[in-house]
Amino acid sequence: MTTPRPSSADGIATAIAAHRQMPGALLPILHAIQDQLGHVPPEAVPLIATALNLSRAEVHGVIRFYHHFRQQPGGDHTVRICRAEACQARGADALIAHAKRALACDFHDTTADGTVTLEPVFCLGHCACGPALMVDEEPHVQVTPARFDALTQRLRSGK
Amino acid sequence: MTATVYVPRDSTALALGADAVARALAAEAERRGISLGIVRNGSRGLFWLEPLVEVATPSGRLAFGPVSVDDVPGLFEADFLRHGAHRLCLGPTEQIPYLQRQERLTFARVGRIDPLSLDDYLAHDGYRGLSQALDWSGARIVAEVTESGLRGRGGAAFPTGIKWQTVQNVRANRKYVVCNADEGDSGTFSDRMIMEGDPFMLIEGMTIAAIAVGATEGYVYVRSEYPHAYSTLQQAISLAEARGYLGDDILGSGRGFHLTARKAGGAYICGEETALLESLEGKRGIVRAKPPLPAVHGLFGQPTIVNNVVSLASVPLIVERGAAFYRDYGSGRSRGSLAFQLAGNVKYGGLVEKAFGLTLRELLYEYGGGTASGRPIRAVQVGGPLGAYLGEAQFDTPLDYEAFAAIGAMLGHGGIVVFDDSVDMARQARFAMEFCAIESCGKCTPCRIGSTRGVEVIDRIAEGTDRPAQTALLRDLCDVMLAGSLCAMGGMTPYPVLSALDRFPEDFGPRDPL
Ligand SMILES: Cc1cc2nc3c(=O)[nH]c(=O)nc-3n(C[C@H](O)[C@H](O)[C@H](O)COP(=O)(O)O)c2cc1C
Ligand code: SF4
């Protein structure tokens, strides 16, 4: 279930105000914005830059460097599938191929109905029980194609 | 009388349904008018048995697992709270052979206590190390850690005491203790299990480090892929602050230490200590040239201890029991224990803390029980994505730092990823190059560009295009990366690639003159 998100200007202002005094405040601010809004919108960049006395290019460079942050809105849910070795050893490649087919979208893309954004991830720390994935912050392990379908059906019908 | 059961809150256990099991147990108990206390503990690390439900009995805990929601009514029907005659009963937890045969030093409490109960922590010897440390001089603490033989568990195995000594020797107004909880290596989860299962131990270890070197500020850099660990750790930090174990005046000693958990951004390179510091400063995670060492010029330019979670978590025990106690475990120059993590295609995957010195084969078969698929083990990657691939011929190597270095491998953070005979080693070599290309910080050309070239070359080898020349090219490329990279990302990616090529040449094309 998606909760209504605060307006982006409010979200950005609150996130900046709450963290700007911290040493090394940029990542905490970006996390706070993305946690609230689902992504870091372009209008956040100049506001953060001014608050932290950085150039826009620096802020932009940081957002782009970290895989976690996204600048475009994602779907209602993010499904992160592990592509790392321990999950490979238990069939992650086949699961990923299935996921892309079933959702008809590639990594970093969102399904046509806007419910699911598919992302790769390198390790979720469930390496004895792969293949693993995370739906938003909810972990799933031993994910077979059938379980993947059940899971994503649930997400997509919950809309 | 209230019965007590334990249902893990470890995130792998959650992924296997632990929350639903806890809810079902509570509901069923209520329906039967039984007063039931449910403690959400960490995991014992026997993941094929999760969700592992334990019942407190006068003679210790009794284990049941793996428990599903459907099993719950039957467990009550069999009166599992009293005598445990049920098909899922595994007997006393501590007598499960996988656990009984371990040497749980650092992980002694994980899975036994409620990770967010400071009282439970104190009742299980928690904060004894800190009380001891507060009576000692900083020099004495550092000496004890040095003499214990503890080496960094994050990968490079550098002696922890020597690092601390350097920070202690530098004069500065402000010093930092930074915990590297980026745990990026596939096949590893020991840091996560500590943060989710015994976070006060990490906090205590960091506090002792701070007192030893005169640091007043600390950060734990937790990977963003670990939301549960992050939240458990944050709650533990607040609880420790509320009771005076962190803050301006620790336990009335007049010493202050402030600790903050910070969330990373999903970049593997930020596990490298200098990239990590850049990231904590709010910048891109670009690796810094060394020297200067972080111990001298670290976070915000100040002297900084950077240690892995397990390294820091091992300190309270060393201070409490003494250097000799810890040093007596182990083999050669690898002292104490390592929390091995059996991962990938393995039948009994989980955490195995053992003194250094057992062989890889013992771990793979006597603990791991072979593969989960039932097929033969063909390859094993030890030490994360930059670790070498090993085959049957290397399985008798003792697990210690020097013995592994001698075969061109590394133990690293102790992760062991098992592959069965369906693995295609050329594909694994390609992945190593691809991973490097995706995760490189971009500072050095051999790492940034060489890895992309590496993917292309391996693709051509797989297609069978001019194999001998392409294979020679791949070796040249690896040489350039080995020699021309600032850090181990570019410098060690050749290890998985070349070990795959050397030990499994048949996967790179039939009968090729390599
Ligand atoms: C590419 C790369 C990734 C690394 N990732 C980690 C990591 O995730 N966790 C960690 O503790 N050390 C990691 N390290 C090792 C750190 O640079 C550093 O050696 C370690 O944090 C020091 O702590 P220790 O002495 O307690 O091991 C990594 C190193 C490299 C080169
Ligand atoms: S080897 Fe790669 S990751 Fe390491 S500093 Fe150079 S470019 Fe960055």
Side-chain angles (χ1 to χ4, degrees), chain B residues 219-237:
Chain B
Y219 289 95
V220 188
Y221 185 83
V222 186
R223 68 198 325 251
S224 56
E225 295 85 349
Y226 281 0
H228 293 83
Y230 179 76
S231 126
T232 308
L233 184 65
Q234 268 196 324
Q235 293 173 65
I237 290 173

Side-chain angles (χ1 to χ4, degrees), chain A residues 2-21:
Chain A
T2 48
T3 43
R5 280 169 175 162
S7 94
S8 108
D10 284 356
I12 296 165
T14 329
I16 293 176
H19 300 94
R20 64 184 298 172
Q21 302 301 342

Side-chain angles (χ1 to χ4, degrees), chain B residues 148-165:
Chain B
S148 75
L150 177 66
R151 290 161 70 180
R153 303 295 190 233
F158 187 81
T160 305
I162 304 215
K163 186 182 285 185
W164 291 19
Q165 181 77 66

Side-chain angles (χ1 to χ4, degrees), chain A residues 16-152:
Chain A
I16 293 176
H19 300 94
R20 64 184 298 172
Q21 302 301 342
M22 292 179 166
L26 185 48
L27 263 72
I29 289 175
L30 295 174
H31 273 297
I33 293 176
Q34 182 154 313
D35 286 351
Q36 284 192 64
L37 307 177
H39 70 295
V40 182
E43 63 269 26
V45 174
L47 297 172
I48 299 170
T50 310
L52 299 185
N53 202 13
L54 296 168
S55 72
R56 291 177 189 202
E58 282 169 308
V59 175
H60 200 253
V62 169
I63 298 172
R64 292 203 36 179
F65 182 86
Y66 294 97
H67 304 304
H68 181 81
F69 299 119
R70 63 172 166 235
Q71 294 181 279
Q72 308 301 323
D76 301 334
H77 301 280
T78 302
V79 173
R80 294 189 166 82
I81 309 189
C82 180
R83 306 188 46 189
E85 293 89 337
C87 282
Q88 288 167 19
R90 298 180 78 118
D93 289 351
L95 176 67
I96 289 164
H98 172 83
K100 289 179 178 176
R101 247 192 337 266
L103 298 179
C105 76
D106 208 337
F107 277 141
H108 314 298
D109 281 348
T110 302
T111 51
D113 63 0
T115 48
V116 175
T117 299
L118 193 62
E119 294 285 352
V121 67
F122 293 102
C123 198
L124 296 166
H126 309 303
C127 316
C129 307
L133 60 77
M134 192 153 75
V135 178
D136 304 321
E137 295 197 339
E138 184 184 276
H140 294 266
V141 295
Q142 295 166 356
V143 183
T144 57
R147 287 198 52 204
F148 180 86
D149 291 343
L151 203 61
T152 44

Side-chain angles (χ1 to χ4, degrees), chain B residues 151-160 163 180-185 191 223 268-274 276 290 306-309 311-312 386 413 487-489:
Chain B
R151 290 161 70 180
R153 303 295 190 233
F158 187 81
T160 305
K163 186 182 285 185
N180 188 340
D182 202 42
E183 193 159 66
D185 292 357
D191 297 349
R223 68 198 325 251
Y268 179 75
I269 196 57
C270 289
E272 195 283 334
E273 57 185 5
T274 63
L276 186 157
K290 287 191 272 192
V306 184
N307 273 131
N308 171 255
V309 173
S311 312
L312 289 162
L386 309 175
H413 191 46
C487 84
M489 180 85 227

Side-chain angles (χ1 to χ4, degrees), chain B residues 269 287 440-444 447-448 485-487 489-491:
Chain B
I269 196 57
V287 173
S440 166
C441 84
K443 192 163 181 162
C444 327
C447 170
R448 189 183 68 234
S485 300
L486 186 59
C487 84
M489 180 85 227

Side-chain angles (χ1 to χ4, degrees), chain B residues 53-336:
Chain B
V53 173
E54 294 176 75
V55 177
T57 78
S59 53
R61 289 191 204 160
L62 212 51
F64 297 82
V67 176
S68 73
V69 170
D70 295 344
D71 296 320
V72 169
L75 283 168
F76 280 90
E77 222 38 69
D79 205 8
F80 80 121
L81 295 174
R82 268 190 293 175
H83 40 73
H86 188 275
R87 76 186 157 79
L88 292 178
C89 185
L90 302 157
T93 315
E94 313 267 345
Q95 286 171 29
I96 299 173
Y98 195 88
L99 198 55
Q100 194 180 29
R101 287 183 288 149
Q102 298 194 26
E103 282 129 329
R104 291 245 168 151
L105 304 181
T106 306
F107 280 75
R109 267 181 307 259
V110 176
R112 288 174 59 213
I113 60 165
D114 175 346
L116 288 175
S117 163
L118 193 44
D119 291 322
D120 213 2
Y121 184 66
L122 294 169
H124 288 82
D125 301 336
Y127 276 120
R128 289 201 186 183
L130 179 65
S131 351
Q132 178 66 268
L134 286 170
D135 287 340
W136 284 353
S137 67
R140 171 77 202 272
I141 301 171
V142 172
E144 205 72 24
V145 173
T146 306
E147 281 161 30
S148 75
L150 177 66
R151 290 161 70 180
R153 303 295 190 233
F158 187 81
T160 305
I162 304 215
K163 186 182 285 185
W164 291 19
Q165 181 77 66
T166 311
V167 179
Q168 192 183 51
N169 289 347
V170 184
R171 264 197 226 171
N173 289 333
R174 173 167 283 190
K175 296 179 184 178
Y176 293 97
V177 177
V178 170
C179 172
N180 188 340
D182 202 42
E183 193 159 66
D185 292 357
S186 176
T188 66
F189 41 78
S190 57
D191 297 349
R192 182 182 66 68
M193 284 180 64
I194 287 174
M195 290 185 281
E196 293 178 0
D198 195 2
F200 292 118
M201 171 169 61
L202 173 59
I203 296 170
E204 182 182 355
M206 292 186 72
T207 310
I208 294 172
I211 283 169
V213 304
T216 51
E217 302 281 327
Y219 289 95
V220 188
Y221 185 83
V222 186
R223 68 198 325 251
S224 56
E225 295 85 349
Y226 281 0
H228 293 83
Y230 179 76
S231 126
T232 308
L233 184 65
Q234 268 196 324
Q235 293 173 65
I237 290 173
S238 303
L239 292 167
E241 279 168 353
R243 299 264 294 261
Y245 287 93
L246 285 172
D248 289 327
D249 181 14
I250 292 165
L251 299 180
S253 65
R255 321 272 195 93
F257 182 57
H258 297 265
L259 186 58
T260 310
R262 279 284 174 89
K263 211 181 249 195
Y268 179 75
I269 196 57
C270 289
E272 195 283 334
E273 57 185 5
T274 63
L276 186 157
L277 296 175
E278 290 287 303
S279 181
L280 275 179
E281 292 181 5
K283 304 175 194 154
R284 292 178 301 147
I286 307 283
V287 173
R288 299 177 184 170
K290 287 191 272 192
L293 294 172
V296 178
H297 189 95
L299 187 62
F300 302 113
Q302 302 302 307
T304 305
I305 288 180
V306 184
N307 273 131
N308 171 255
V309 173
V310 180
S311 312
L312 289 162
S314 303
V315 166
L317 181 77
I318 290 169
V319 172
E320 184 207 334
R321 305 286 295 267
F325 169 82
Y326 193 76
R327 195 179 51 218
D328 281 351
Y329 291 89
S331 80
R333 286 171 46 217
S334 306
R335 309 313 315 171

